[in-house]
Amino acid sequence: MSATTHTPVVSIAYHSGYGHTAVIADAVRSGAVDAGATVHLIKVDEIDDAQWELLDASDAIVFGSPTYMGTASGAFHVFAEASSKRWFADAWQDKIAAGFTNSASKSGDKLHTLQFFQVLAAQHGMHWVNLGLKPGWNSSTASENDLNRLGFFSGAAAQSNSDEGADAVHKADIATAEHLGRRVTEHTRTLLAGRAALATAAV
């Protein structure tokens, strides 16, 4: 249906340990919805058969996890390993993929988590969408309120102080995640429209 209407179906498969990453996941959702997508939020540590099927039926999957000890959380790794059943069936082949992460440190080796998501997507034969933003907060006239204030390119990265709750997630990081949701939706819509046009031309 989505290939005909060009309305992307985006699923956000994420784990959140203390609520901070859930705020970022909801921001990705908000951006995708604003851009016209149908969106499913899926907590990978609570995933059931119906939600696996939602992922299979989605046009795009955005992976999200906090960065713990330099990589995605253990709960996300369990989900990634379980996705091997989808790998055998090529269930996610040629879907759009993207990712986001959060940690307490400005860097915190978040790049490694985003690269882990990229490799996971590549193993499934998915198409990775990067953040598509120049880095912010990197000059004397810049501000911590800039989009992409942490200067990541592979995906959306957020920093949350370890002694503050999820309600203190930085507004710039939320806005950056919303941007990612819109970007994923736009790229997915373009892909669907292209496939529909090719199918029509082939008739």
Side-chain angles (χ1 to χ4, degrees), residues 1-42:
M1 186 178 206
S2 57
T4 302
T5 63
H6 305 165
T7 300
V9 178
V10 177
S11 283
I12 301 168
Y14 76 98
H15 173 246
S16 182
Y18 300 96
H20 305 83
T21 307
V23 171
I24 301 300
D26 191 62
V28 175
R29 179 205 61 78
S30 179
V33 168
D34 286 347
T38 297
V39 183
H40 305 293
L41 275 174
I42 297 173

Side-chain angles (χ1 to χ4, degrees), residues 54-113:
L54 281 177
L55 292 176
D56 296 345
S58 297
D59 302 305
I61 303 174
V62 184
F63 301 122
S65 167
T67 294
Y68 293 155
M69 301 305 293
T71 188
S73 65
F76 192 92
H77 275 269
V78 169
F79 161 77
E81 189 170 325
S83 76
S84 62
K85 293 180 180 179
R86 269 60 197 170
W87 178 83
F88 279 108
D90 292 328
W92 298 353
Q93 181 82 23
D94 292 329
K95 294 183 187 296
I96 292 289
F100 61 91
T101 187
N102 172 80
S103 72
S105 299
K106 296 293 190 293
S107 171
D109 290 322
K110 285 189 277 279
L111 177 59
H112 185 255
T113 299

Side-chain angles (χ1 to χ4, degrees), residues 107-197:
S107 171
D109 290 322
K110 285 189 277 279
L111 177 59
H112 185 255
T113 299
L114 293 172
Q115 290 173 330
F116 169 71
F117 293 155
Q118 286 179 307
V119 172
L120 175 64
Q123 291 209 340
H124 281 286
M126 304 170 80
H127 304 295
W128 187 262
V129 172
N130 58 45
L131 186 58
L133 285 174
K134 295 291 193 300
W137 202 20
N138 65 353
S139 72
S140 62
T141 59
S143 164
E144 67 171 300
N145 297 311
D146 292 340
L147 287 179
N148 195 20
R149 68 187 182 111
L150 300 179
F152 283 78
F153 294 89
S154 300
Q159 179 270 330
S160 303
N161 292 334
S162 61
D163 59 348
E164 293 185 305
D167 58 340
V169 173
H170 202 289
K171 290 182 179 179
D173 295 339
I174 291 173
T176 300
E178 290 172 345
H179 168 86
L180 179 65
R182 289 190 295 271
R183 182 169 168 83
V184 167
T185 300
E186 290 161 1
H187 277 261
T188 306
R189 180 179 289 110
T190 298
L191 181 66
L192 295 174
R195 287 175 179 169

